[in-house]
Amino acid sequence: MSDIENQNLDNEEEATVTLELDDGTTIECAVLTIFPVDDKDYIALLPLEGTAAEEGEVYLYRYLETPEGEPSLDNIQDDDEYEAVADAFDEMLDAQEYDEIVSEDELD
């Protein structure tokens, strides 16, 4: 399981989290989006440094809030659940790209 070490959700800055991975290393990630799939929330994180950042790898986690309102991440253990979340994230990206293309065409 990954832990959120700190979180910066200042609206004027890019939201970031520092993940502590299972092997004890930490990695700073940008929060791309929090989105629902089948009545659960998930978060998409983009590493800001290292090989994963260079390759554009995105980390997907189950997103929860504690009763005190603190954010918490949990690994997605089930392959079917992960596939559904990855598909939903890909569809969001496709829709966003379509919206950007349509907006650009309207400007011409």
Side-chain angles (χ1 to χ4, degrees):
M1 181 170 151
S2 298
D3 295 323
I4 301 176
E5 191 169 282
N6 68 16
Q7 184 170 21
N8 178 3
L9 292 177
D10 185 345
N11 289 335
E12 296 176 14
E13 296 180 25
E14 185 176 77
T16 61
V17 295
T18 301
L19 295 177
E20 182 177 332
L21 304 178
D22 291 337
D23 65 4
T25 61
T26 59
I27 186 166
E28 186 79 13
C29 297
V31 176
L32 297 178
T33 188
I34 297 172
F35 59 101
V37 176
D38 295 333
D39 298 324
K40 294 180 183 174
D41 287 332
Y42 297 88
I43 189 168
L45 303 173
L46 179 67
L48 296 175
E49 53 193 40
T51 305
E54 292 168 9
E55 294 175 359
E57 188 173 334
V58 173
Y59 297 157
L60 300 172
Y61 289 93
R62 195 175 302 124
Y63 177 82
L64 310 160
E65 288 189 8
T66 66
E68 296 80 27
E70 294 293 318
S72 177
L73 303 183
D74 195 13
N75 289 329
I76 302 170
Q77 301 292 336
D78 182 76
D79 289 341
D80 291 335
E81 178 184 5
Y82 184 85
E83 195 65 35
V85 171
D87 288 346
F89 180 70
D90 288 343
E91 287 175 17
M92 283 183 6
L93 289 180
D94 290 345
Q96 183 178 1
E97 288 175 8
Y98 175 79
D99 290 346
E100 289 174 2
I101 291 170
V102 169
S103 295
E104 289 174 7
D105 288 346
E106 292 173 357
L107 293 175
D108 294 337

